[in-house]
Amino acid sequence: MLDPRNRELLISLGAAVFNLRVAMLARGRVPVLRLLADAGEPDLAAQVTVGPSTRPPGTALMLAEAISRRHTNRQPMRDLPVPAEALTDLSAAAEAERARVVVTDALARDAVLDVVRIAEKRRRHDLAYRRELGEWTGFRPRHRDGVPPEAFGPRDALETMPIRDFGVVRSARRRGPARFAQVPTIAVLYTRSDNPDEWLRCGQALERVLLTSTVRGLASTIMTQPVEVPDLRVLLEDSADGYHAQAVLRFGYGPPGAASARRPLTEVLVRTGTGPRSRTDREAGPAGWAERPAR
């Protein structure tokens, strides 16, 4: 199992929670958030309540507009440096959600990519990994999620960029090799702690960083292979400051990434309490929503 502690599951739920927060703010309502709100319901990850009216902040409007445009990009990116001011914005986005993004220098970049490369190669020979990867990349008529073939991306001919190879178990769908940027912009996302509450906060920070990159016109890639392997994850830890690595990120300029299917809201949101029933009233009234893991 790739995610035995549900760390990545809760990070993904945290990202969905951030999208909900931003959407509420962009529509002029303050979101009131409670994480892991009910100890008696372990599947209840977060509860978001529509709060008082407010003037939509400009940042919320920009981030909300970017939600539908943000996709993981596994395509080659151009050999263009990301401007320093854009990297500053990405760091500020993480800090706003109590996380930290560290953009690597040349030496650290090569070291981080080496760790990702080792993880990717090791995973390719793991039968359990290949089985689970097949489940997420195969056609499942009753499911609306997973990674479609058009989002796999090509193989790196020189193995410069160790992006997860979703075609490893479906060779007929594997795309041909391509040349990737030789000097990519690589960052590591860190959190202070490493527990369910922090994973939910990490997901919110991750989504804020990714949406900020979209607003900035940047493509982004999430590489989590090394943080799924304990003995490799430790190599990315910031032991000096006590931060825990949660994801490796790539930023740059490239073609638009292919969209992946999304589950309908009814599968991940549960209406709680009493409140207006119509769509218009729900956006304006004191309704509550609970975020649950999708099974």
Side-chain angles (χ1 to χ4, degrees):
M1 184 177 181
L2 297 185
D3 192 27
R5 295 198 295 164
N6 287 334
R7 184 186 65 85
E8 292 181 321
L9 172 64
L10 289 175
I11 288 175
S12 67
L13 285 170
V17 166
F18 184 79
N19 285 342
L20 182 56
R21 286 172 50 202
V22 166
M24 283 186 182
L25 268 178
R27 286 161 177 77
R29 301 306 292 258
V30 176
V32 180
L33 172 65
R34 293 178 64 205
L35 299 179
L36 304 174
D38 189 344
E41 289 195 59
D43 278 352
L44 180 60
Q47 189 171 51
V48 185
T49 303
V50 180
S53 299
T54 186
R55 182 176 181 179
T59 298
L61 292 172
M62 290 189 294
L63 295 179
E65 187 277 331
I67 290 174
S68 61
R69 296 190 290 113
R70 191 211 71 74
H71 305 293
T72 297
N73 193 315
R74 302 179 183 90
Q75 298 294 325
M77 296 183 186
R78 297 194 291 272
D79 277 308
L80 294 174
V82 176
E85 57 269 25
L87 297 177
T88 298
D89 283 352
L90 299 180
S91 295
E95 290 172 4
E97 301 298 329
R98 295 170 47 182
R100 187 168 76 166
V101 160
V102 176
V103 180
T104 60
D105 58 21
L107 184 62
R109 179 193 66 229
D110 292 343
V112 168
L113 289 178
D114 279 344
V115 176
V116 180
R117 196 173 292 111
I118 292 170
E120 175 66 16
K121 289 182 178 179
R122 187 185 298 183
R123 284 300 203 187
R124 290 179 185 177
H125 301 287
D126 184 330
L127 293 180
Y129 169 79
R130 293 170 67 93
R131 187 181 310 112
E132 189 163 340
L133 196 66
E135 292 175 356
W136 281 101
T137 56
F139 175 70
R140 300 182 301 168
R142 291 189 301 276
H143 294 270
R144 291 188 57 193
D145 53 18
V147 182
E150 56 270 22
F152 286 4
R155 291 182 295 111
D156 185 347
L158 302 177
E159 294 195 350
T160 304
M161 183 54 54
I163 293 175
R164 193 187 300 273
D165 186 0
F166 284 97
V168 68
V169 294
R170 300 190 181 281
S171 57
R173 296 181 177 181
R174 187 197 300 266
R175 296 192 176 186
R179 179 186 178 278
F180 282 67
Q182 299 299 297
V183 187
T185 298
I186 299 296
V188 181
L189 176 65
Y190 291 98
T191 57
R192 173 67 74 176
S193 302
D194 196 38
N195 54 52
D197 183 87
E198 198 75 349
W199 298 334
L200 286 167
R201 295 186 186 280
C202 172
Q204 294 174 79
L206 174 63
E207 186 68 359
R208 185 165 190 148
V209 168
L210 297 177
L211 290 178
T212 299
S213 73
T214 301
V215 170
R216 273 288 193 167
L218 296 170
S220 59
T221 312
I222 308 170
M223 295 182 287
T224 58
Q225 301 98 309
V227 294
E228 296 165 357
V229 184
D231 65 304
L232 295 179
R233 185 185 184 194
V234 71
L235 299 177
L236 301 176
E237 305 287 64
D238 184 351
S239 56
D241 293 330
Y243 280 85
H244 300 268
Q246 302 293 352
V248 176
L249 306 172
R250 176 185 68 146
F251 299 103
Y253 298 96
S260 296
R262 297 290 185 263
R263 291 195 178 193
L265 288 177
T266 53
E267 290 191 14
V268 293
L269 290 179
V270 178
R271 185 71 177 272
T272 63
T274 59
R277 294 184 180 180
S278 73
R279 180 175 182 273
T280 302
D281 288 340
R282 183 167 66 241
E283 291 174 350
W289 295 95
E291 187 84 25
R292 295 179 183 275
R295 297 301 185 187

